[in-house]
PDB file of all heavy atoms in Angstrom:
ATOM      1  N   GLU A 125       5.234  -4.153 -33.505  1.00 94.00           N
ATOM      2  CA  GLU A 125       6.471  -3.472 -33.140  1.00 94.00           C
ATOM      3  C   GLU A 125       7.036  -4.074 -31.860  1.00 94.00           C
ATOM      4  O   GLU A 125       6.299  -4.371 -30.914  1.00 94.00           O
ATOM      5  CB  GLU A 125       6.216  -1.976 -32.941  1.00 94.00           C
ATOM      6  CG  GLU A 125       7.482  -1.176 -32.632  1.00 94.00           C
ATOM      7  CD  GLU A 125       7.223   0.317 -32.528  1.00 94.00           C
ATOM      8  OE1 GLU A 125       6.056   0.727 -32.699  1.00 94.00           O
ATOM      9  OE2 GLU A 125       8.173   1.069 -32.268  1.00 94.00           O
ATOM     10  N   LEU A 126       8.350  -4.243 -31.854  1.00 93.00           N
ATOM     11  CA  LEU A 126       9.061  -4.798 -30.702  1.00 93.00           C
ATOM     12  C   LEU A 126      10.077  -3.777 -30.214  1.00 93.00           C
ATOM     13  O   LEU A 126      10.870  -3.247 -31.012  1.00 93.00           O
ATOM     14  CB  LEU A 126       9.772  -6.101 -31.084  1.00 93.00           C
ATOM     15  CG  LEU A 126      10.790  -6.646 -30.073  1.00 93.00           C
ATOM     16  CD1 LEU A 126      10.094  -7.094 -28.788  1.00 93.00           C
ATOM     17  CD2 LEU A 126      11.585  -7.810 -30.678  1.00 93.00           C
ATOM     18  N   ASN A 127      10.049  -3.486 -28.909  1.00 92.00           N
ATOM     19  CA  ASN A 127      11.033  -2.595 -28.294  1.00 92.00           C
ATOM     20  C   ASN A 127      11.713  -3.334 -27.146  1.00 92.00           C
ATOM     21  O   ASN A 127      11.050  -4.017 -26.352  1.00 92.00           O
ATOM     22  CB  ASN A 127      10.372  -1.321 -27.767  1.00 92.00           C
ATOM     23  CG  ASN A 127       9.948  -0.383 -28.883  1.00 92.00           C
ATOM     24  OD1 ASN A 127      10.755   0.336 -29.435  1.00 92.00           O
ATOM     25  ND2 ASN A 127       8.654  -0.413 -29.223  1.00 92.00           N
ATOM     26  N   GLN A 128      13.019  -3.195 -27.079  1.00 90.00           N
ATOM     27  CA  GLN A 128      13.777  -3.869 -26.027  1.00 90.00           C
ATOM     28  C   GLN A 128      14.805  -2.908 -25.451  1.00 90.00           C
ATOM     29  O   GLN A 128      15.624  -2.335 -26.182  1.00 90.00           O
ATOM     30  CB  GLN A 128      14.485  -5.110 -26.580  1.00 90.00           C
ATOM     31  CG  GLN A 128      15.407  -5.805 -25.585  1.00 90.00           C
ATOM     32  CD  GLN A 128      14.657  -6.316 -24.367  1.00 90.00           C
ATOM     33  OE1 GLN A 128      13.728  -7.096 -24.503  1.00 90.00           O
ATOM     34  NE2 GLN A 128      15.065  -5.890 -23.184  1.00 90.00           N
ATOM     35  N   LEU A 129      14.737  -2.744 -24.115  1.00 87.00           N
ATOM     36  CA  LEU A 129      15.741  -1.930 -23.431  1.00 87.00           C
ATOM     37  C   LEU A 129      17.040  -2.733 -23.337  1.00 87.00           C
ATOM     38  O   LEU A 129      17.057  -3.827 -22.760  1.00 87.00           O
ATOM     39  CB  LEU A 129      15.244  -1.550 -22.030  1.00 87.00           C
ATOM     40  CG  LEU A 129      16.168  -0.687 -21.186  1.00 87.00           C
ATOM     41  CD1 LEU A 129      16.352   0.686 -21.812  1.00 87.00           C
ATOM     42  CD2 LEU A 129      15.621  -0.553 -19.759  1.00 87.00           C
ATOM     43  N   LEU A 130      18.120  -2.183 -23.908  1.00 86.00           N
ATOM     44  CA  LEU A 130      19.402  -2.887 -23.904  1.00 86.00           C
ATOM     45  C   LEU A 130      20.297  -2.438 -22.755  1.00 86.00           C
ATOM     46  O   LEU A 130      20.965  -3.250 -22.131  1.00 86.00           O
ATOM     47  CB  LEU A 130      20.118  -2.674 -25.244  1.00 86.00           C
ATOM     48  CG  LEU A 130      19.357  -3.196 -26.473  1.00 86.00           C
ATOM     49  CD1 LEU A 130      20.128  -2.891 -27.741  1.00 86.00           C
ATOM     50  CD2 LEU A 130      19.092  -4.694 -26.339  1.00 86.00           C
ATOM     51  N   PHE A 131      20.300  -1.143 -22.490  1.00 87.00           N
ATOM     52  CA  PHE A 131      21.096  -0.645 -21.367  1.00 87.00           C
ATOM     53  C   PHE A 131      20.485   0.636 -20.841  1.00 87.00           C
ATOM     54  O   PHE A 131      20.218   1.570 -21.599  1.00 87.00           O
ATOM     55  CB  PHE A 131      22.549  -0.389 -21.783  1.00 87.00           C
ATOM     56  CG  PHE A 131      23.369   0.224 -20.666  1.00 87.00           C
ATOM     57  CD1 PHE A 131      23.862  -0.568 -19.643  1.00 87.00           C
ATOM     58  CD2 PHE A 131      23.600   1.595 -20.630  1.00 87.00           C
ATOM     59  CE1 PHE A 131      24.597  -0.003 -18.608  1.00 87.00           C
ATOM     60  CE2 PHE A 131      24.331   2.165 -19.595  1.00 87.00           C
ATOM     61  CZ  PHE A 131      24.823   1.346 -18.581  1.00 87.00           C
ATOM     62  N   ASP A 132      20.243   0.652 -19.533  1.00 85.00           N
ATOM     63  CA  ASP A 132      19.780   1.856 -18.842  1.00 85.00           C
ATOM     64  C   ASP A 132      20.202   1.727 -17.383  1.00 85.00           C
ATOM     65  O   ASP A 132      19.727   0.856 -16.664  1.00 85.00           O
ATOM     66  CB  ASP A 132      18.270   2.006 -18.956  1.00 85.00           C
ATOM     67  CG  ASP A 132      17.785   3.350 -18.401  1.00 85.00           C
ATOM     68  OD1 ASP A 132      18.587   4.050 -17.759  1.00 85.00           O
ATOM     69  OD2 ASP A 132      16.613   3.685 -18.612  1.00 85.00           O
ATOM     70  N   GLY A 133      21.117   2.586 -16.967  1.00 84.00           N
ATOM     71  CA  GLY A 133      21.636   2.498 -15.603  1.00 84.00           C
ATOM     72  C   GLY A 133      20.556   2.671 -14.554  1.00 84.00           C
ATOM     73  O   GLY A 133      20.561   2.001 -13.518  1.00 84.00           O
ATOM     74  N   THR A 134      19.590   3.548 -14.819  1.00 85.00           N
ATOM     75  CA  THR A 134      18.529   3.774 -13.834  1.00 85.00           C
ATOM     76  C   THR A 134      17.641   2.539 -13.679  1.00 85.00           C
ATOM     77  O   THR A 134      17.096   2.293 -12.605  1.00 85.00           O
ATOM     78  CB  THR A 134      17.666   4.980 -14.253  1.00 85.00           C
ATOM     79  OG1 THR A 134      17.116   4.738 -15.556  1.00 85.00           O
ATOM     80  CG2 THR A 134      18.497   6.248 -14.304  1.00 85.00           C
ATOM     81  N   TYR A 135      17.506   1.754 -14.768  1.00 86.00           N
ATOM     82  CA  TYR A 135      16.702   0.528 -14.673  1.00 86.00           C
ATOM     83  C   TYR A 135      17.384  -0.502 -13.784  1.00 86.00           C
ATOM     84  O   TYR A 135      16.737  -1.150 -12.949  1.00 86.00           O
ATOM     85  CB  TYR A 135      16.481  -0.061 -16.067  1.00 86.00           C
ATOM     86  CG  TYR A 135      15.835  -1.425 -16.045  1.00 86.00           C
ATOM     87  CD1 TYR A 135      14.497  -1.573 -15.723  1.00 86.00           C
ATOM     88  CD2 TYR A 135      16.585  -2.565 -16.332  1.00 86.00           C
ATOM     89  CE1 TYR A 135      13.902  -2.827 -15.688  1.00 86.00           C
ATOM     90  CE2 TYR A 135      15.995  -3.826 -16.301  1.00 86.00           C
ATOM     91  CZ  TYR A 135      14.660  -3.951 -15.991  1.00 86.00           C
ATOM     92  OH  TYR A 135      14.075  -5.195 -15.945  1.00 86.00           O
ATOM     93  N   ILE A 136      18.683  -0.648 -13.924  1.00 86.00           N
ATOM     94  CA  ILE A 136      19.431  -1.616 -13.103  1.00 86.00           C
ATOM     95  C   ILE A 136      19.327  -1.236 -11.625  1.00 86.00           C
ATOM     96  O   ILE A 136      19.076  -2.081 -10.766  1.00 86.00           O
ATOM     97  CB  ILE A 136      20.900  -1.660 -13.559  1.00 86.00           C
ATOM     98  CG1 ILE A 136      20.983  -2.165 -15.004  1.00 86.00           C
ATOM     99  CG2 ILE A 136      21.717  -2.564 -12.631  1.00 86.00           C
ATOM    100  CD1 ILE A 136      22.372  -2.094 -15.603  1.00 86.00           C
ATOM    101  N   VAL A 137      19.497   0.054 -11.342  1.00 88.00           N
ATOM    102  CA  VAL A 137      19.380   0.505  -9.956  1.00 88.00           C
ATOM    103  C   VAL A 137      17.938   0.353  -9.479  1.00 88.00           C
ATOM    104  O   VAL A 137      17.677   0.013  -8.328  1.00 88.00           O
ATOM    105  CB  VAL A 137      19.853   1.964  -9.828  1.00 88.00           C
ATOM    106  CG1 VAL A 137      19.661   2.470  -8.396  1.00 88.00           C
ATOM    107  CG2 VAL A 137      21.313   2.093 -10.234  1.00 88.00           C
ATOM    108  N   GLY A 138      16.994   0.600 -10.370  1.00 85.00           N
ATOM    109  CA  GLY A 138      15.586   0.464 -10.004  1.00 85.00           C
ATOM    110  C   GLY A 138      15.232  -0.944  -9.590  1.00 85.00           C
ATOM    111  O   GLY A 138      14.414  -1.148  -8.675  1.00 85.00           O
ATOM    112  N   LEU A 139      15.831  -1.940 -10.270  1.00 86.00           N
ATOM    113  CA  LEU A 139      15.597  -3.329  -9.876  1.00 86.00           C
ATOM    114  C   LEU A 139      16.069  -3.577  -8.445  1.00 86.00           C
ATOM    115  O   LEU A 139      15.373  -4.214  -7.637  1.00 86.00           O
ATOM    116  CB  LEU A 139      16.323  -4.275 -10.831  1.00 86.00           C
ATOM    117  CG  LEU A 139      15.716  -4.463 -12.217  1.00 86.00           C
ATOM    118  CD1 LEU A 139      16.583  -5.399 -13.041  1.00 86.00           C
ATOM    119  CD2 LEU A 139      14.303  -5.005 -12.120  1.00 86.00           C
TER     120      LEU A 139
END
Side-chain angles (χ1 to χ4, degrees):
E125 183 176 0
L126 168 67
N127 287 281
Q128 175 62 57
L129 181 65
L130 299 178
F131 176 79
D132 188 349
T134 58
Y135 172 73
I136 297 173
V137 177
L139 285 178

